């Protein structure tokens, strides 16, 4: 484990790495999608269901 990013709605259901360097999409249990900057350990945006 390199880093823990807090503020996600657990359990995470899927993670997809973006074409944008350092970013990934995380599907939350409530079917919202969080865009995370894993290089900086931050949630960039949340897309509701």
């Amino acid at each position: 484990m390199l880093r823990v990013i807090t503020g996600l709605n657990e359990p995470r259901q899927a993670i997809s790495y973006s074409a944008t360097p350092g970013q990934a999409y995380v599907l939350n249990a409530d079917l919202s999608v969080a865009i995370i900057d894993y290089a900086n350990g931050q949630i960039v945006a949340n897309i509701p269901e």
Side-chain angles (χ1 to χ4, degrees), residues 5-48:
I5 298 174
T6 60
L8 297 168
N9 183 359
E10 294 188 45
R12 274 127 357 250
Q13 303 296 319
I15 300 172
S16 177
Y17 291 95
S18 171
T20 304
Q23 285 191 352
Y25 299 95
V26 179
L27 178 64
N28 292 304
D30 65 357
L31 301 180
S32 65
V33 175
I35 302 172
I36 62 166
D37 180 339
Y38 59 82
N40 293 317
Q42 298 177 341
I43 298 174
V44 177
N46 279 303
I47 303 169

